[in-house]
Amino acid sequence: MVTTLTVLHPKGGVGRSTTVYMLGAELALRGHRVALIDRDQGQHLSRVFDFYPPSINRLVLGEDTSATLRIVDTAPEVNADRAIGYLREADWVLVPVKGPEAGSVLALPMLLDWLEQAHGARLLGFVPTMYKPPRGDSRQWLAELNRLAARTGTCVFSPIGDLASVAAFRLDAHPYAALAAAVEEVLLGALV
């Protein structure tokens, strides 16, 4: 049985493709068969996968009937119908939140409304990406993200630092390892 985790955010440049690629690689290293699905019209994930092939046996780009986990990369989405369609295909939703910064956090109520309309997908949590702890505005918006998570009964995963990028992916860096462990813990029943 396959579990589908969709990575979605209405705003562009929040780290969806990087999150899909890195999280997929980390979960494959943890022994799961992972299929990365590129639904972004720009095909950024596909291009990066081809340019930086991860050479991990349990990680594939595209549909794979032997996969236990599908991680779906989506486009920056402001079309409610298309976003709700993505969410209806998902078992779980992971939301990357850049910075966190104002535009990235302020778009979340719209996404939460879409999630409610989709009837079925569960919010796994928010993952702050490109986090810059010394910046006061990053700390301010992280606090706002934590308040939103508390109101919605979801979690905020540990922030991913500003230097984590697909281009810098190396198996010795593992910036997404802690997120993979947390995701695996939540999804363990669905993945086994």
Side-chain angles (χ1 to χ4, degrees), residues 144-167:
E144 184 60 33
L145 181 61
N146 279 307
R147 284 190 287 277
L148 178 63
R151 283 195 308 271
T152 60
T154 193
C155 71
V156 175
F157 292 103
S158 295
I160 305 294
D162 189 34
L163 299 178
S165 74
V166 173

Side-chain angles (χ1 to χ4, degrees), residues 29-97:
L29 289 171
R30 296 175 78 81
H32 303 285
R33 179 83 174 161
V34 181
L36 305 181
I37 311 300
D38 193 351
R39 296 275 171 82
D40 185 345
Q41 296 88 337
Q43 298 290 293
H44 178 68
L45 176 65
S46 296
R47 287 193 319 267
V48 169
F49 195 93
D50 289 341
F51 195 73
Y52 299 103
S55 302
I56 300 170
N57 289 336
R58 295 175 177 266
L59 183 66
V60 298
L61 179 65
E63 296 293 348
D64 181 351
T65 57
S66 65
T68 56
L69 178 63
R70 295 170 73 238
I71 305 178
V72 180
D73 185 21
T74 60
E77 198 54 75
V78 293
N79 179 295
D81 291 334
R82 194 168 34 237
I84 291 167
Y86 291 145
L87 294 169
R88 285 189 175 139
E89 294 177 5
D91 298 302
W92 294 91
V93 178
L94 181 65
V95 181
V97 182

Side-chain angles (χ1 to χ4, degrees), residues 79-89 109-121:
N79 179 295
D81 291 334
R82 194 168 34 237
I84 291 167
Y86 291 145
L87 294 169
R88 285 189 175 139
E89 294 177 5
M110 179 172 58
L111 186 146
L112 294 171
D113 183 53
W114 294 340
L115 190 58
E116 189 174 304
Q117 292 178 51
H119 305 292

